[in-house]
Amino acid sequence: WGRYRVFLILVILGTLIGESVQNVILPYIAKLLFDTLATSAPGVAALGDLKHTLLLFTGASLAVWVVHRGAWVIYMYIQPRMMADLE
């Protein structure tokens, strides 16, 4: 446990941050997107707001993906080493 404490904390934090962004922030950004679509006048004027909201949604989704992958890479790194230390 002592040698892998930092890695385990990173895995736990990565999972918690990824899940909280995915379950709380992404639905809120989707709500902003649909609110913009519902309240904006048709035409070029709404494209700036829509583009900003789509970029925000894409960036948050990419951040969730990176955090989840990072957490799993760390987990895959430490898991066999911890198992080897048990022998």
Side-chain angles (χ1 to χ4, degrees):
W1 161 253
R3 289 177 36 182
Y4 305 106
R5 183 175 304 163
V6 173
F7 292 121
L8 288 174
I9 290 171
L10 287 175
V11 167
I12 291 169
L13 284 178
T15 303
L16 289 176
I17 290 170
E19 290 298 320
S20 64
V21 168
Q22 187 174 7
N23 293 328
V24 176
I25 295 174
L26 283 178
Y28 178 73
I29 296 172
K31 178 196 174 302
L32 290 177
L33 177 67
F34 288 116
D35 287 348
T36 303
L37 285 172
T39 59
S40 64
V44 180
L47 286 179
D49 291 337
L50 288 174
K51 185 169 77 169
H52 179 263
T53 307
L54 282 173
L55 286 174
L56 193 63
F57 188 82
T58 304
S61 297
L62 183 63
V64 167
W65 183 83
V66 167
V67 167
H68 273 137
R69 294 300 147 230
W72 279 105
V73 164
I74 292 170
Y75 176 72
M76 293 300 164
Y77 173 78
I78 64 169
Q79 194 266 344
R81 285 161 180 76
M82 289 179 80
M83 295 300 283
D85 285 348
L86 291 176
E87 291 181 352

